[in-house]
Amino acid sequence: TKLNRSHLTMGRDALILPCLGRTDIDRQSCGPQAVTVEDSFSMIHASRGQLEPLSTQMRSEPAIVAGIAAATLGKRPVDWLWLVEDYARIRELIAATIPGFAGFDHRLHRPGGFYLGNAAARREWNTASGRAEFKAHALPADLLPEQARWPGMKADLILQTLRSHDQYNTTLYGLDDRYRGVKGMRKVVFVNPADIQRLGLEAGQQVDLVSLWDDGIERRVSGFTLLAYDTPPGQAAAYYPETNPLVPLESFGARSYTPTSKSVGIKLEPSVGRNNQIALGSCS
């Protein structure tokens, strides 16, 4: 719903579809529409936009999906364009096919929405024993894939990418992270003090992060400030999208096929040609 630099990194082709955000008024042929959202307490409520869209060419997410489906499938297995004229019709289908959503559209009009329910919160376990069941799985011998362990190279740390407090997905609202005591900067890497000492580096030093993969491509981000932080030994953390270039496109999770942005083998190198030390305040 918001263009950002990540849209410039794609494959041979990319589609950019002007899309309404949830703050925009979503007008369909039957009038303004409401989508539904679920909060962290399993409450379902309606979300209605209040702002005029920036362009008449912008479409809602349901309208985009319905348009693609209609162009591809026609009216099979449903009349896509008829459904998107009034989102209540979509909710009626949900109510008829998904357990727990009976009377979906009617219940949505209650003040504050309605509680979807969570069997586990009520200590109801849908298992043969009727009790919670746990299974233990052996950890892999090495957390990194074979391509990140090629001969002559060994990762200094395993990097996970994460968001700051002033960030929603890839949209940045500020340079402060009150979760971790960082102010006014984002090009930082959090490393355990014991690892900083082991690698012969110093907190506050400017470093480059270089990821390891066996395809001969150098993946490097430069000028990151090294912050001593209570991360597990051997682990490091840094913000995305600044560190997205370190993730090889060929590195993805088994079966999920999602990028391995939480498990990137990296080496740390002192940055060259910069003021290589900055004064740091408390970061704990």
Side-chain angles (χ1 to χ4, degrees), residues 19-22 24-37 45-49 53 58-67 79-95 101 103-106 108-109:
C19 181
L20 296 175
R22 283 203 288 118
D24 298 317
I25 300 172
D26 180 358
R27 294 185 179 92
Q28 301 299 329
S29 60
C30 289
Q33 301 296 311
V35 296
T36 55
V37 295
H45 59 89
S47 176
R48 295 177 175 84
M58 296 168 69
R59 297 188 181 185
S60 70
E61 291 172 296
I64 290 173
V65 173
D79 187 337
W80 300 97
L81 298 184
W82 179 81
L83 281 177
V84 84
E85 290 175 356
D86 185 345
Y87 296 173
R89 298 168 181 171
I90 301 173
R91 289 189 278 272
E92 289 170 1
L93 278 182
I94 293 173
F101 281 89
F104 186 11
D105 193 62
H106 175 72
L108 195 64
H109 296 290

Side-chain angles (χ1 to χ4, degrees), residues 203-246:
Q205 186 172 350
Q206 300 277 290
V207 295
D208 292 1
L209 284 60
V210 184
S211 66
L212 306 183
W213 204 251
D214 67 356
D215 57 6
I217 298 174
E218 182 182 72
R219 296 176 176 86
R220 176 189 298 266
V221 292
S222 302
F224 278 62
T225 300
L226 188 57
L227 298 182
Y229 200 80
D230 187 20
T231 60
Q235 306 286 312
Y239 303 129
Y240 72 80
E242 287 86 352
T243 49
N244 283 358
L246 298 177

Side-chain angles (χ1 to χ4, degrees), residues 134-152:
F134 298 87
K135 295 182 180 179
H137 294 271
L139 292 173
D142 197 313
L143 296 177
L144 293 175
E146 183 178 348
Q147 296 94 324
R149 292 183 279 115
W150 42 299

